[in-house]
Amino acid sequence: MKKINLGIVLTLTLIAVGCTNTIEGQVRIQVIRGQITRVIRPADGWVNTMNTVGDEYFDITLRTFTFPVVVNASTKDNAAVQVQISATLTPPQDDEGIIAWVRKFGLEEDERWTRMTQILAGQMNTETKNAVANYEAYGVLANQEAIQKRLIETLAPILKQQLWLTLDSVQIIGRPDFADDRIESAASAVVANQKAKEAAEADLARARVEAEKMMVESKTFANPAMLELEKLKMRLQIEQARAEGIKGHQGPLTIVNGGDTQLQLKGAQ
């Protein structure tokens, strides 16, 4: 029969009873006689609590989380629409923010989550309604990215100030759902027509540029002297490119364009 080392057992027992620690992604709040006294982090390792009387400990999760909300809103032209948005948020990470956060919303996880998300849902609902109300029905479909950007701009300072939460992103989930399917069909048609119009305008602009370019070229090449000058310019560009590789050449390079027309290009000295 193996002998048990009572000293080791006693030491392990004392460590288990008189020490505390926490894991990555959370902190442990030490409360002594109703007062928050310390924020224990994973980097602190095992913390000695043997000489502490009347202490309690609460685990606080600091991981980033997502929170979805379904919002019943109205467009600028009074079309009822349902929009689902999802916010990605991060709780406070510094000791001061964590303590303020739990003091306002509670040390217990369930209590804190319930109280916090009630305010969070209300703010997300209000700001989404305000954002949607800036657009007519077709605009809601065509400007979802702009709506998301506005929500980030308006929600971020509110959530930071009131909830100590950092807003990382906001996304519209799926497609806005209009109460009247006819409105959604009409809005979709408007958006499709607008996209087609923008594409046609872009094609027209490109066609105009090409037409103007061809007109300039035709006028240039209609004049024999201008045509010869263009040819000469092209030959000069070719010789300039060649000259880049003639680093040790001495004396000038001469281009003879028939007759008496000549251009000279000096090589590297």
Side-chain angles (χ1 to χ4, degrees):
M1 182 178 180
K2 294 183 179 180
K3 294 183 179 180
I4 299 175
N5 190 321
L6 295 178
I8 294 177
V9 172
L10 180 60
T11 300
L12 292 175
T13 302
L14 289 174
I15 290 175
V17 173
C19 295
T20 189
N21 72 336
T22 188
I23 62 174
E24 291 294 335
Q26 68 179 36
V27 295
R28 180 163 290 178
I29 298 290
Q30 182 187 59
V31 178
I32 300 178
R33 292 184 288 276
Q35 296 293 321
I36 297 175
T37 57
R38 182 173 181 178
V39 177
I40 300 171
R41 296 180 176 274
D44 295 332
W46 287 97
V47 177
N48 184 4
T49 61
M50 290 183 64
N51 299 322
T52 305
V53 179
D55 53 335
E56 296 179 273
Y57 298 88
F58 299 86
D59 290 328
I60 310 297
T61 299
L62 302 181
R63 298 182 183 91
T64 297
F65 65 95
T66 58
F67 188 76
V69 173
V70 176
V71 181
N72 293 312
S74 295
T75 63
K76 191 175 182 178
D77 49 355
N78 296 320
V81 61
Q82 188 175 86
V83 181
Q84 182 176 358
I85 64 171
S86 178
T88 301
L89 307 120
T90 301
Q93 303 293 306
D94 62 292
D95 288 4
E96 183 179 355
I98 293 169
I99 291 173
W101 192 46
V102 298
R103 278 178 175 163
K104 182 170 184 176
F105 298 111
L107 288 162
E108 297 288 352
E109 183 78 22
D110 291 343
E111 176 191 11
R112 184 171 61 256
W113 179 260
T114 299
R115 295 177 63 185
M116 178 188 67
T117 53
Q118 286 176 346
I119 299 175
L120 176 58
Q123 292 293 351
M124 291 174 64
N125 197 293
T126 298
E127 295 306 320
T128 302
K129 286 182 176 179
N130 292 339
V132 170
N134 286 322
Y135 297 93
E136 294 181 344
Y138 77 89
V140 172
L141 296 181
N143 296 280
Q144 294 185 49
E145 186 175 340
I147 292 173
Q148 290 174 171
K149 183 178 179 181
R150 175 191 165 99
L151 287 174
I152 292 175
E153 292 173 351
T154 57
L155 280 172
I158 294 174
L159 300 184
K160 192 71 173 179
Q161 181 180 9
Q162 296 188 10
L163 304 180
W164 288 273
L165 297 175
T166 299
L167 179 61
D168 299 318
S169 66
V170 173
Q171 287 186 324
I172 295 177
I173 306 301
R175 184 182 178 89
D177 184 17
F178 289 90
D180 189 334
D181 291 339
R182 294 173 299 175
I183 294 177
E184 183 166 358
S185 298
S188 298
V190 171
V191 172
N193 290 336
Q194 182 65 26
K195 295 297 182 183
K197 180 183 176 182
E198 291 173 359
E201 289 175 348
D203 290 340
L204 179 60
R206 283 193 295 270
R208 284 174 177 170
V209 171
E210 288 298 323
E212 290 174 1
K213 180 180 177 182
M214 292 176 65
M215 185 178 296
V216 171
E217 290 177 348
S218 64
K219 289 181 179 179
T220 298
F221 297 142
N223 186 329
M226 291 294 292
L227 178 59
E228 290 302 317
L229 182 58
E230 289 297 323
K231 290 180 180 179
L232 198 58
K233 287 180 180 179
M234 291 178 63
R235 292 188 62 188
L236 178 58
Q237 290 173 359
I238 293 171
E239 293 302 328
Q240 285 176 329
R242 290 176 180 173
E244 290 296 325
I246 309 176
K247 302 298 184 182
H249 178 76
Q250 301 295 325
L253 294 174
T254 303
I255 303 174
V256 180
N257 185 39
D260 297 328
T261 306
Q262 295 184 350
L263 290 180
Q264 285 191 340
L265 177 67
K266 290 184 178 181
Q269 300 297 320

